[in-house]
Amino acid sequence: MAHPPAVAPTVIAHRGASGYRPEHTLAAYRLAIAQGADMIEPDLVCTADGVLVARHENELGRTTDIGARPEFADRRTTKSVDGEQVTGWFSEDLTFAELRTVRAVERLPELRPGGTVYDGRFPVPSLDEVLDLARISSHRLGRTIGVYIEAKSPEHFRSVGLPLEQRLVDRLDAHGHRTAEDPVVLQSFAHDSLRELAALTALRLTVLLDDIPADDALSTPAALRELAAWVWAVGPSKDRVLPRRADGSLDAPSAFVADAHAADLAVHVWTFRAESPFLPVGLDAAEELLAFADAGIDGLFTDQPDLAVAALRELRRAAA
Ligand code: G3P
Ligand code: CA
């Protein structure tokens, strides 16, 4: 499948402008759009009554105020999710109406005190609301705002009787998103789930590759050629593209981007975060972004879309 030349990486707002607002809220997505992001990224989980909502994980205690709500105290439980024991409050144990009564909070309060200013203000949005926001914003701004969707923990949701794939495709179809020309991309680390989506829709697909040995076998030139038969892009961790030396500085580019492009795959890298603990030694956020742009990537997930748009301004002007 063809992809554009890598002159100006697509800026994908990771969980919205999550460096500035509690993640996965309409406020975070709206700010990302105002900052110039090309696409917004909702991760999705499911409620007990089958509504897809924007959260990074089905456990809600980390990013909402549900732990302070006495009416939900009896829902706190421990269960196995994706092979890990997790204690908290789970999306599949609340109806959408119940979930709507809780409010988002900042995931990283020490690192992002600015985000905590908005704690308790915004509800958890449904996928429908995110798609509506992208459509209305596109119309208002005269530019297309894409939606880059990741359905989380598909095996877990299948195990509790709430399979995600058909549900997701049905909602997207209801919004008119069903072809490779539509401004929606589906991404997943769970390759079986992505295979199922491939059988259900012609929307573009991205295989995510973690920085773990298990995904090394999927990063070889031969494996990338096989992926290209059914996906549009690969989404590697940053380290797969520009590894870090032992001292934390960026090393020379790996062969990953060249190999992926040779297989005709776009390369969308995650995740760019501007705070010091996430940055390579010796570089600020803009310098890191430009180093990856120089390495030829086609898109990037970032918590601070404004910084990416600013750092890549000249490249984006040249590509316009
Ligand atoms: O989907 C790209 C990137 O978001 C993957 O990491 O854990 O933030 O969903 P995560
Ligand atoms: Ca994601």
Side-chain angles (χ1 to χ4, degrees):
M1 294 175 217
H3 60 82
V7 290
T10 298
V11 175
I12 307 155
H14 182 247
R15 314 181 194 178
S18 56
Y20 307 107
R21 298 287 185 275
E23 67 185 39
H24 289 315
T25 58
L26 290 184
Y29 299 132
R30 268 197 204 100
L31 181 59
I33 292 166
Q35 291 179 343
D38 301 301
M39 306 188 78
I40 53 177
E41 191 227 13
D43 297 315
L44 297 179
V45 298
C46 195
T47 64
D49 48 350
V51 179
L52 295 172
V53 296
R55 289 289 94 192
H56 181 261
E57 57 270 317
N58 60 334
E59 199 288 303
L60 303 167
R62 183 99 188 264
T63 61
T64 76
D65 61 4
I66 193 166
R69 301 291 184 111
E71 65 273 31
F72 295 122
D74 64 348
R75 310 289 174 92
R76 188 169 186 270
T77 187
T78 299
K79 56 175 84 176
S80 174
V81 182
D82 300 337
E84 286 185 22
Q85 290 296 107
V86 183
T87 298
W89 298 259
F90 295 87
S91 65
E92 65 267 27
D93 297 334
L94 275 73
T95 65
F96 181 61
E98 288 174 326
L99 179 61
R100 284 298 265 200
T101 66
V102 308
R103 293 292 178 266
V105 300
E106 172 58 47
R107 176 186 290 273
L108 303 170
E110 287 82 22
L111 204 58
R112 295 174 174 170
T116 66
V117 170
Y118 302 93
D119 281 1
R121 294 178 64 95
F122 309 124
V124 173
S126 66
L127 170 62
D128 286 340
E129 290 173 311
V130 179
L131 294 171
D132 283 345
L133 173 66
R135 177 179 48 78
I136 292 164
S137 300
S138 299
H139 182 71
R140 186 167 52 78
L141 297 173
R143 68 182 180 94
T144 301
I145 308 298
V147 186
Y148 212 123
I149 298 171
E150 182 181 2
K152 287 290 191 184
S153 302
E155 280 313 307
H156 174 75
F157 280 105
R158 192 181 320 286
S159 77
V160 298
L162 292 165
L164 301 178
E165 292 83 4
Q166 186 68 59
R167 205 177 307 273
L168 172 57
V169 169
D170 287 348
R171 289 321 307 154
L172 292 169
D173 192 69
H175 286 260
H177 298 308
R178 53 184 79 95
T179 77
E181 284 69 49
D182 290 317
V184 169
V185 179
L186 306 181
Q187 47 160 336
S188 187
F189 290 105
H191 299 172
D192 288 350
S193 176
L194 206 61
R195 282 256 183 217
E196 188 169 338
L197 288 166
L200 295 172
T201 180
L203 288 165
R204 290 169 291 168
L205 305 174
T206 296
V207 166
L208 298 174
L209 298 172
D210 212 337
D211 188 31
I212 54 173
D215 282 355
D216 289 350
L218 291 163
S219 305
T220 65
L224 291 168
R225 282 195 297 274
E226 280 180 31
L227 286 174
W230 64 283
V231 304
W232 169 68
V234 280
S237 64
K238 289 192 294 187
D239 286 353
R240 283 198 181 277
V241 172
L242 286 176
R244 293 196 189 188
R245 299 187 186 98
D247 69 358
S249 61
L250 289 186
D251 207 340
S254 72
F256 187 91
V257 172
D259 290 345
H261 285 172
D264 209 13
L265 290 164
V267 178
H268 293 172
V269 178
W270 50 274
T271 298
F272 291 83
R273 294 177 162 125
E275 294 90 352
S276 183
F278 302 114
L279 292 172
V281 165
L283 298 184
D284 67 18
E287 291 166 335
E288 183 193 32
L289 288 156
L290 288 170
F292 277 81
D294 287 346
I297 68 171
D298 305 285
L300 57 93
F301 294 83
T302 179
D303 292 2
Q304 286 94 0
D306 57 337
L307 300 185
V309 169
L312 303 173
R313 183 160 288 132
E314 293 308 318
L315 282 175
R316 290 164 70 85
R317 266 203 205 112

